[in-house]
mmCIF file of all heavy atoms in Angstrom:
data_model
loop_
_atom_site.group_PDB
_atom_site.id
_atom_site.type_symbol
_atom_site.label_atom_id
_atom_site.label_comp_id
_atom_site.label_asym_id
_atom_site.label_seq_id
_atom_site.Cartn_x
_atom_site.Cartn_y
_atom_site.Cartn_z
ATOM 1 N N VAL K 166 -3.989 0.016 13.569
ATOM 2 C CA VAL K 166 -5.163 0.033 12.768
ATOM 3 C C VAL K 166 -5.760 -1.334 12.441
ATOM 4 O O VAL K 166 -6.886 -1.488 12.576
ATOM 5 C CB VAL K 166 -4.953 0.901 11.459
ATOM 6 C CG1 VAL K 166 -6.079 0.895 10.634
ATOM 7 C CG2 VAL K 166 -4.437 2.247 11.734
ATOM 8 N N LEU K 167 -4.906 -2.256 12.287
ATOM 9 C CA LEU K 167 -5.372 -3.622 11.908
ATOM 10 C C LEU K 167 -5.949 -4.308 13.195
ATOM 11 O O LEU K 167 -6.674 -5.269 13.022
ATOM 12 C CB LEU K 167 -4.187 -4.443 11.288
ATOM 13 C CG LEU K 167 -3.701 -3.854 9.906
ATOM 14 C CD1 LEU K 167 -2.618 -4.833 9.335
ATOM 15 C CD2 LEU K 167 -4.866 -3.756 8.868
ATOM 16 N N SER K 168 -5.530 -3.762 14.384
ATOM 17 C CA SER K 168 -6.149 -4.424 15.527
ATOM 18 C C SER K 168 -7.476 -3.747 15.898
ATOM 19 O O SER K 168 -8.122 -4.140 16.858
ATOM 20 C CB SER K 168 -5.265 -4.253 16.702
ATOM 21 O OG SER K 168 -3.957 -4.624 16.468
ATOM 22 N N LEU K 169 -7.840 -2.735 15.101
ATOM 23 C CA LEU K 169 -9.026 -1.948 15.470
ATOM 24 C C LEU K 169 -10.267 -2.741 15.481
ATOM 25 O O LEU K 169 -11.062 -2.664 16.408
ATOM 26 C CB LEU K 169 -9.138 -0.824 14.521
ATOM 27 C CG LEU K 169 -9.895 0.405 14.978
ATOM 28 C CD1 LEU K 169 -9.392 1.059 16.254
ATOM 29 C CD2 LEU K 169 -9.791 1.607 13.933
ATOM 30 N N ALA K 170 -10.429 -3.636 14.456
ATOM 31 C CA ALA K 170 -11.626 -4.400 14.230
ATOM 32 C C ALA K 170 -11.939 -5.241 15.454
ATOM 33 O O ALA K 170 -12.969 -5.182 16.112
ATOM 34 C CB ALA K 170 -11.580 -5.245 13.018
ATOM 35 N N ILE K 171 -10.913 -6.006 15.930
ATOM 36 C CA ILE K 171 -11.212 -7.037 17.086
ATOM 37 C C ILE K 171 -11.409 -6.188 18.352
ATOM 38 O O ILE K 171 -12.273 -6.486 19.094
ATOM 39 C CB ILE K 171 -9.930 -7.814 17.147
ATOM 40 C CG1 ILE K 171 -10.274 -8.952 18.221
ATOM 41 C CG2 ILE K 171 -8.648 -7.197 17.510
ATOM 42 C CD1 ILE K 171 -9.236 -9.935 18.415
ATOM 43 N N VAL K 172 -10.759 -4.975 18.452
ATOM 44 C CA VAL K 172 -10.950 -4.143 19.621
ATOM 45 C C VAL K 172 -12.426 -3.531 19.697
ATOM 46 O O VAL K 172 -13.048 -3.612 20.707
ATOM 47 C CB VAL K 172 -9.933 -2.974 19.654
ATOM 48 C CG1 VAL K 172 -10.343 -1.873 20.541
ATOM 49 C CG2 VAL K 172 -8.594 -3.580 20.119
ATOM 50 N N VAL K 173 -12.900 -3.100 18.592
ATOM 51 C CA VAL K 173 -14.200 -2.465 18.446
ATOM 52 C C VAL K 173 -15.281 -3.566 18.780
ATOM 53 O O VAL K 173 -16.219 -3.365 19.608
ATOM 54 C CB VAL K 173 -14.429 -1.845 17.144
ATOM 55 C CG1 VAL K 173 -15.888 -1.456 16.935
ATOM 56 C CG2 VAL K 173 -13.598 -0.528 17.017
ATOM 57 N N VAL K 174 -15.110 -4.718 18.078
ATOM 58 C CA VAL K 174 -16.140 -5.761 18.271
ATOM 59 C C VAL K 174 -16.149 -6.320 19.688
ATOM 60 O O VAL K 174 -17.204 -6.461 20.417
ATOM 61 C CB VAL K 174 -15.824 -6.928 17.299
ATOM 62 C CG1 VAL K 174 -16.810 -8.053 17.549
ATOM 63 C CG2 VAL K 174 -16.053 -6.389 15.815
ATOM 64 N N SER K 175 -14.884 -6.498 20.239
ATOM 65 C CA SER K 175 -14.962 -6.991 21.652
ATOM 66 C C SER K 175 -15.456 -5.973 22.638
ATOM 67 O O SER K 175 -16.200 -6.288 23.594
ATOM 68 C CB SER K 175 -13.481 -7.278 22.201
ATOM 69 O OG SER K 175 -12.826 -7.906 21.064
ATOM 70 N N GLY K 176 -15.099 -4.692 22.323
ATOM 71 C CA GLY K 176 -15.599 -3.620 23.222
ATOM 72 C C GLY K 176 -17.073 -3.464 23.170
ATOM 73 O O GLY K 176 -17.721 -3.425 24.248
ATOM 74 N N LEU K 177 -17.683 -3.639 22.031
ATOM 75 C CA LEU K 177 -19.098 -3.617 21.920
ATOM 76 C C LEU K 177 -19.768 -4.659 22.751
ATOM 77 O O LEU K 177 -20.687 -4.474 23.530
ATOM 78 C CB LEU K 177 -19.520 -3.684 20.430
ATOM 79 C CG LEU K 177 -21.018 -3.560 20.251
ATOM 80 C CD1 LEU K 177 -21.376 -2.121 20.480
ATOM 81 C CD2 LEU K 177 -21.327 -3.918 18.714
ATOM 82 N N PHE K 178 -19.230 -5.964 22.642
ATOM 83 C CA PHE K 178 -19.906 -7.042 23.326
ATOM 84 C C PHE K 178 -19.667 -6.978 24.711
ATOM 85 O O PHE K 178 -20.626 -7.282 25.536
ATOM 86 C CB PHE K 178 -19.406 -8.348 22.688
ATOM 87 C CG PHE K 178 -20.071 -8.740 21.423
ATOM 88 C CD1 PHE K 178 -19.280 -8.899 20.193
ATOM 89 C CD2 PHE K 178 -21.436 -8.893 21.342
ATOM 90 C CE1 PHE K 178 -19.932 -9.216 19.013
ATOM 91 C CE2 PHE K 178 -22.079 -9.248 20.138
ATOM 92 C CZ PHE K 178 -21.366 -9.479 19.001
ATOM 93 N N ILE K 179 -18.540 -6.571 25.209
ATOM 94 C CA ILE K 179 -18.250 -6.532 26.559
ATOM 95 C C ILE K 179 -19.142 -5.444 27.305
ATOM 96 O O ILE K 179 -19.712 -5.715 28.279
ATOM 97 C CB ILE K 179 -16.780 -6.278 26.858
ATOM 98 C CG1 ILE K 179 -15.963 -7.533 26.573
ATOM 99 C CG2 ILE K 179 -16.554 -5.891 28.359
ATOM 100 C CD1 ILE K 179 -14.645 -7.576 26.970
ATOM 101 N N GLY K 180 -19.369 -4.317 26.561
ATOM 102 C CA GLY K 180 -20.157 -3.301 27.108
ATOM 103 C C GLY K 180 -21.658 -3.803 27.165
ATOM 104 O O GLY K 180 -22.325 -3.519 28.170
ATOM 105 N N MET K 181 -21.982 -4.524 26.146
ATOM 106 C CA MET K 181 -23.445 -5.012 26.243
ATOM 107 C C MET K 181 -23.663 -6.004 27.306
ATOM 108 O O MET K 181 -24.702 -5.944 27.903
ATOM 109 C CB MET K 181 -23.757 -5.659 24.759
ATOM 110 C CG MET K 181 -24.099 -4.580 23.750
ATOM 111 S SD MET K 181 -23.976 -5.098 22.080
ATOM 112 C CE MET K 181 -25.445 -6.072 22.020
ATOM 113 N N VAL K 182 -22.680 -6.887 27.540
ATOM 114 C CA VAL K 182 -22.744 -7.861 28.584
ATOM 115 C C VAL K 182 -22.794 -7.093 29.972
ATOM 116 O O VAL K 182 -23.600 -7.459 30.788
ATOM 117 C CB VAL K 182 -21.614 -8.800 28.426
ATOM 118 C CG1 VAL K 182 -21.500 -9.643 29.772
ATOM 119 C CG2 VAL K 182 -21.692 -9.787 27.306
ATOM 120 N N LEU K 183 -21.942 -6.122 30.067
ATOM 121 C CA LEU K 183 -21.987 -5.383 31.374
ATOM 122 C C LEU K 183 -23.296 -4.789 31.552
ATOM 123 O O LEU K 183 -23.791 -4.757 32.712
ATOM 124 C CB LEU K 183 -20.875 -4.287 31.300
ATOM 125 C CG LEU K 183 -19.481 -4.665 31.616
ATOM 126 C CD1 LEU K 183 -18.506 -3.433 31.432
ATOM 127 C CD2 LEU K 183 -19.297 -5.234 32.976
ATOM 128 N N GLY K 184 -23.907 -4.278 30.528
ATOM 129 C CA GLY K 184 -25.211 -3.559 30.609
ATOM 130 C C GLY K 184 -26.231 -4.564 31.077
ATOM 131 O O GLY K 184 -26.949 -4.377 32.064
ATOM 132 N N LEU K 185 -26.217 -5.822 30.544
ATOM 133 C CA LEU K 185 -27.175 -6.898 30.792
ATOM 134 C C LEU K 185 -26.996 -7.311 32.308
ATOM 135 O O LEU K 185 -27.958 -7.244 33.220
ATOM 136 C CB LEU K 185 -27.029 -8.048 29.976
ATOM 137 C CG LEU K 185 -27.951 -8.123 28.791
ATOM 138 C CD1 LEU K 185 -27.605 -9.328 27.910
ATOM 139 C CD2 LEU K 185 -29.358 -8.156 29.154
ATOM 140 N N GLN K 186 -25.712 -7.659 32.626
ATOM 141 C CA GLN K 186 -25.495 -8.195 33.989
ATOM 142 C C GLN K 186 -25.692 -7.129 34.989
ATOM 143 O O GLN K 186 -26.363 -7.430 36.058
ATOM 144 C CB GLN K 186 -24.006 -8.614 34.142
ATOM 145 C CG GLN K 186 -23.606 -9.816 33.268
ATOM 146 C CD GLN K 186 -24.034 -11.095 33.977
ATOM 147 O OE1 GLN K 186 -24.857 -10.991 34.971
ATOM 148 N NE2 GLN K 186 -23.598 -12.275 33.488
ATOM 149 N N GLY K 187 -25.241 -5.899 34.685
ATOM 150 C CA GLY K 187 -25.404 -4.815 35.655
ATOM 151 C C GLY K 187 -26.876 -4.576 35.960
ATOM 152 O O GLY K 187 -27.321 -4.410 37.069
ATOM 153 N N TYR K 188 -27.729 -4.707 34.862
ATOM 154 C CA TYR K 188 -29.112 -4.310 34.991
ATOM 155 C C TYR K 188 -29.779 -5.397 35.964
ATOM 156 O O TYR K 188 -30.506 -5.114 36.876
ATOM 157 C CB TYR K 188 -29.787 -4.448 33.659
ATOM 158 C CG TYR K 188 -31.177 -4.063 33.663
ATOM 159 C CD1 TYR K 188 -31.648 -2.699 33.785
ATOM 160 C CD2 TYR K 188 -32.185 -5.047 33.886
ATOM 161 C CE1 TYR K 188 -32.998 -2.337 33.897
ATOM 162 C CE2 TYR K 188 -33.591 -4.697 33.932
ATOM 163 C CZ TYR K 188 -33.929 -3.268 33.937
ATOM 164 O OH TYR K 188 -35.318 -3.041 34.042
ATOM 165 N N THR K 189 -29.513 -6.684 35.672
ATOM 166 C CA THR K 189 -30.118 -7.747 36.471
ATOM 167 C C THR K 189 -29.727 -7.664 37.925
ATOM 168 O O THR K 189 -30.537 -7.898 38.825
ATOM 169 C CB THR K 189 -29.793 -9.199 35.898
ATOM 170 O OG1 THR K 189 -28.479 -9.245 35.604
ATOM 171 C CG2 THR K 189 -30.544 -9.517 34.690
ATOM 172 N N ILE K 190 -28.398 -7.374 38.196
ATOM 173 C CA ILE K 190 -28.010 -7.240 39.575
ATOM 174 C C ILE K 190 -28.648 -5.994 40.213
ATOM 175 O O ILE K 190 -29.197 -6.104 41.313
ATOM 176 C CB ILE K 190 -26.425 -7.189 39.739
ATOM 177 C CG1 ILE K 190 -25.909 -8.561 39.241
ATOM 178 C CG2 ILE K 190 -26.019 -6.924 41.121
ATOM 179 C CD1 ILE K 190 -24.418 -8.624 38.928
ATOM 180 N N LEU K 191 -28.468 -4.847 39.589
ATOM 181 C CA LEU K 191 -28.838 -3.543 40.190
ATOM 182 C C LEU K 191 -30.408 -3.550 40.329
ATOM 183 O O LEU K 191 -30.857 -2.802 41.245
ATOM 184 C CB LEU K 191 -28.310 -2.419 39.371
ATOM 185 C CG LEU K 191 -26.726 -2.296 39.461
ATOM 186 C CD1 LEU K 191 -26.261 -1.195 38.481
ATOM 187 C CD2 LEU K 191 -26.311 -1.907 40.861
ATOM 188 N N SER K 192 -31.110 -4.121 39.436
ATOM 189 C CA SER K 192 -32.557 -3.946 39.492
ATOM 190 C C SER K 192 -33.170 -4.655 40.767
ATOM 191 O O SER K 192 -34.233 -4.354 41.208
ATOM 192 C CB SER K 192 -33.291 -4.441 38.251
ATOM 193 O OG SER K 192 -32.971 -5.825 38.127
ATOM 194 N N ASP K 193 -32.372 -5.626 41.309
ATOM 195 C CA ASP K 193 -32.842 -6.207 42.524
ATOM 196 C C ASP K 193 -32.763 -5.172 43.638
ATOM 197 O O ASP K 193 -33.648 -5.280 44.599
ATOM 198 C CB ASP K 193 -31.753 -7.297 42.985
ATOM 199 C CG ASP K 193 -31.861 -8.537 42.199
ATOM 200 O OD1 ASP K 193 -32.971 -8.573 41.352
ATOM 201 O OD2 ASP K 193 -31.126 -9.411 42.238
ATOM 202 N N TYR K 194 -32.008 -4.160 43.594
ATOM 203 C CA TYR K 194 -32.015 -3.134 44.658
ATOM 204 C C TYR K 194 -32.689 -1.861 44.146
ATOM 205 O O TYR K 194 -32.542 -0.794 44.729
ATOM 206 C CB TYR K 194 -30.545 -2.727 44.988
ATOM 207 C CG TYR K 194 -29.725 -3.895 45.466
ATOM 208 C CD1 TYR K 194 -28.925 -4.602 44.573
ATOM 209 C CD2 TYR K 194 -29.791 -4.348 46.769
ATOM 210 C CE1 TYR K 194 -28.223 -5.689 45.008
ATOM 211 C CE2 TYR K 194 -29.132 -5.495 47.210
ATOM 212 C CZ TYR K 194 -28.357 -6.127 46.272
ATOM 213 O OH TYR K 194 -27.699 -7.269 46.791
ATOM 214 N N GLY K 195 -33.365 -1.984 42.962
ATOM 215 C CA GLY K 195 -34.028 -0.866 42.524
ATOM 216 C C GLY K 195 -33.218 0.347 42.082
ATOM 217 O O GLY K 195 -33.662 1.442 41.925
#
Side-chain angles (χ1 to χ4, degrees):
Chain K
V166 177
L167 295 183
S168 311
L169 203 55
I171 185 174
V172 162
V173 166
V174 173
S175 322
L177 185 68
F178 280 121
I179 287 188
M181 286 164 69
V182 167
L183 280 177
L185 268 176
Q186 290 282 13
Y188 184 84
T189 43
I190 295 169
L191 290 171
S192 60
D193 285 351
Y194 302 98

